[in-house]
Amino acid sequence: MAAADKIRDGEILLEMKDVHMLFGKVIALAGVNLEIRKGEIHSVIGPNGAGKTVMMNIINGLYRPQQGEIFYKEKKINFLKPYERSKLGLARTFQKVEVFGGMTVLDNIRLGRHIHYKSGIFSGSWYFGKTAREENKHRAFIEEEIIDLLEIEQIRNKPVGMLPYGLQKRVELGRALALEPELLILDEPLAGLNLEEVEDMARFILDINEEKRWQVTCLLVEHDMGVVMDLSHRVFVLNFGNMIIDGTPKEVQNNPEVIKAYLGEDDLYSTRK
Amino acid sequence: MTTTFLPCGVYHENYIQDHAWWQTKFIKGKMLLLFFLLFILIPLLADTYILSICNQIGYTILGAIGVQLLIGYCGQLTLGHAAFVAVGAYTSTLLILEFPWPAILLNLGLAYPISIFIAGLMAGLWSVLFGLPSARVKGFYLILTSMAAQFIIVDFIITQYVSQIGGRGQAFSLPPGTIKLGPWLIDSDLKVYYLMILLCIICIVGVANIMRSRVGRAWVAIRDNDISAEVMGINVIKYKLLAFFYAGFIGGIAGSFWISNLAAISPEHFPWSWSLWLVGVILIGGVGSIHGTIFGALFMVLVMESLQLMVLPLADIYPKLLMDFLFIKEAAFGLAICMFLIFEPNGLAYRWWQTKNYFNLWPFSY
Ligand SMILES: Nc1ncnc2c1ncn2[C@@H]1O[C@H](COP(=O)(O)OP(=O)(O)O)[C@@H](O)[C@H]1O
Ligand SMILES: [Mg+2]
């Protein structure tokens, strides 16, 4: 784990400081602190309803916390809207796939690159010249970097709403990657997939994180302990709004409180059936 | 409906070909035939009655494109589009009648074309104004705010104030010779027809192009999932307002075009039922499809005309029928929409797509 130590000394990409989030009387987050360093896969685990999705929504700006601060590359981003945060290099996938069902796979991925396109209503209506060149350039990128990587050549012209769930999740990942993010939030990317699809998806996440071309920092919310412990550099354990521990997979597995929270599952590796 | 199946043996070698509209020689040939029909055959063979029907179809298309863009592509329900058509018509009329045009522009026949453009801008801005609530409300509530456009713009501002300009009373008459496009005086159904074809092509091409570029994709994304769209970097409010502007702009062009076909305009030309009618056009033609807009307009105008032709002979026997025709027409309209929603919810465009693919893939259509 020498590589992990090196990452741990690296630059802090995202920082949450004492973040509180309440929905009426429900305390979803009660003072959460999180540091994500460049290059790592940082997982967040915890039981259902622990507040993991709320945490992700706060990071990408869908929710505003009542208290606490969020920094991205040392810049405070509390008041930035989601679309402004995406321009800083933040992308995400959702727990329940949120694709554009009526658009084709290609168009979904093209839309992921929205911030890299330039054309407006006039040049778009005219199309020839500038816009045509731009479309062509990005099409090449999408084909070579994303469609190849995710192995979705066969379905590129299919409307996403018609695809099976597993492929929709893959397209959603492709769309997020198309933004060329620095920090990628993956909210339960493996939920609802079959074994083969889980293996594929885990491999994609590893590729995205490790390949020289991408080197994307990942914030991963996942229930599959086997995958979490294998992939992550660090694991953050959340229990109903409170952090239990934030450490290496080994530290987490040996933590008595974590073991208690996952009581009855003596071996964390066996949670997947 | 976005997929097209290419005939066996046709492959693309680069992305430009794959993103082109007309992907095979066969389709290019068909488009040539269509142009031949539109520019040569119809003008040559059609009498004024047929031409006037064509012009009505064109006007319906121009009006419905904006509705298609808002409802079909951007998911913003609207039921007040006739108001922006009215803004265009009145802007253009007022500019032509009241504006002190420099003599050169008048001589070159540029007054009307310039007024078309300004009418588009004006209608676009009014549309944005009434699109502002879309930042906050969706669906049913947006329908109500868009209906407000109709009542405020047409029934109040235009009827009460704009119509009084120049002290002409209710209607503005457009004397012959006022509408000139370059060297051509638009004074016959045939010339109106050519103007209609020109404007329809410009607007359809513009919309088709924008829909395959950045802005159009953002609109569809907002329609399908506005939260995802925002997270992927789209300023949702800005793009919704852009959609309202673009739709209003084309609505304004529609209105501005229609005055070339009228001897006088008055607020009654832009009733609320026209807004409803335009929504019916896209429901029947197919929501979210440019073909659908065209098919819907063809269907609506042709069916209503044939209905009229059928009623006329009967009117000798039952004179009351003629008086009630308006109601018959509206009942038929309602019936047509119900039938389509039940039996062909994807609209005529879907049928077209199926038929087309059947022939493209023939004889191996599986
Ligand atoms: N928009 C919301 N309004 C009210 N309560 C919410 C909202 N979003 C989440 N919550 C509550 O916050 C808690 C944490 O939810 P969530 O983050 O979705 O859990 P999970 O860790 O399973 O992703 C739950 O009790 C949930 O009911
Ligand atoms: Mg969740």
Side-chain angles (χ1 to χ4, degrees), chain A residues 83 86 98 102 125 127 139 157, chain B residues 18-19 209 224-225 228 233 246:
Chain A
Y83 73 88
S86 76
E98 304 277 358
S125 305
Y127 193 81
R139 175 75 187 270
N157 285 320
Chain B
D18 195 37
H19 212 204
N209 273 335
D224 281 0
N225 193 327
S228 266
Y246 208 89

Side-chain angles (χ1 to χ4, degrees), chain A residues 21-266:
Chain A
M21 183 83 214
L22 294 94
F23 295 102
K25 282 194 181 140
V26 178
I27 303 170
L29 294 181
V32 165
N33 292 292
L34 173 71
E35 269 178 20
I36 299 172
R37 305 218 176 220
K38 214 176 162 72
E40 66 186 0
I41 295 181
H42 204 133
S43 292
V44 175
I45 61 171
N48 275 324
K52 303 179 299 289
T53 299
V54 169
M55 210 167 137
M56 302 307 125
N57 286 348
I58 286 173
I59 293 173
N60 86 167
L62 289 173
Y63 293 160
R64 289 261 160 89
Q66 279 87 357
Q67 194 186 321
E69 292 168 310
I70 306 140
F71 296 92
Y72 185 79
K73 292 186 177 171
E74 293 173 4
K75 185 183 164 205
K76 190 170 166 178
I77 58 168
N78 276 40
F79 300 106
L80 292 187
K81 300 231 166 57
Y83 73 88
E84 292 166 324
R85 296 188 196 194
S86 76
K87 286 177 191 144
L88 300 176
L90 225 97
R92 76 171 286 184
T93 65
F94 293 85
Q95 180 170 354
K96 299 188 196 88
V97 281
E98 304 277 358
V99 286
F100 306 116
M103 296 164 79
T104 61
V105 170
L106 254 178
D107 274 342
N108 267 268
I109 299 173
R110 283 191 184 114
L111 193 111
R113 287 185 76 66
H114 181 83
I115 61 169
H116 299 292
Y117 284 80
K118 299 260 156 17
S119 80
I121 51 173
F122 295 109
S123 54
S125 305
W126 178 247
Y127 193 81
F128 301 99
K130 200 180 119 199
T131 305
R133 274 199 303 278
E134 170 181 270
E135 289 293 333
N136 201 35
K137 184 182 92 190
H138 289 293
R139 175 75 187 270
F141 173 89
I142 289 168
E143 292 285 345
E144 285 152 25
E145 303 285 351
I146 292 176
I147 294 199
D148 267 10
L149 177 79
L150 300 180
E151 297 155 11
I152 44 179
E153 293 86 353
Q154 303 303 322
I155 53 166
R156 56 159 83 82
N157 285 320
K158 294 237 162 64
V160 177
M162 311 273 232
L163 297 175
Y165 188 74
L167 284 178
Q168 292 197 5
K169 285 221 133 172
R170 212 183 272 200
V171 173
E172 200 188 21
L173 177 64
R175 183 183 70 186
L177 272 184
L179 192 139
E180 295 183 72
E182 269 187 274
L183 176 62
L184 177 60
I185 300 171
L186 300 159
D187 196 350
E188 306 206 12
L190 308 179
L193 301 185
N194 66 34
L195 208 57
E196 194 186 335
E197 289 169 333
V198 166
E199 277 171 16
D200 282 341
M201 192 60 93
R203 184 164 49 85
F204 295 143
I205 295 171
L206 210 57
D207 281 350
I208 294 161
N209 179 251
E210 287 185 347
E211 251 182 44
K212 265 230 143 44
R213 165 70 194 84
W214 290 102
Q215 298 198 313
V216 179
T217 309
C218 294
L219 177 56
L220 174 68
V221 176
E222 201 27 76
H223 280 298
D224 188 323
M225 288 308 141
V227 174
V228 166
M229 296 303 164
D230 277 351
L231 292 187
S232 318
H233 299 108
R234 283 185 88 79
V235 178
F236 179 105
V237 186
L238 189 67
N239 197 19
F240 298 102
N242 296 296
M243 182 188 84
I244 295 183
I245 180 179
D246 183 10
T248 62
K250 241 207 192 87
E251 287 166 6
V252 169
Q253 285 172 56
N254 296 328
N255 183 290
E257 244 184 293
V258 176
I259 294 172
K260 213 168 73 191
Y262 285 83
L263 204 67
E265 303 167 2
D266 1 50

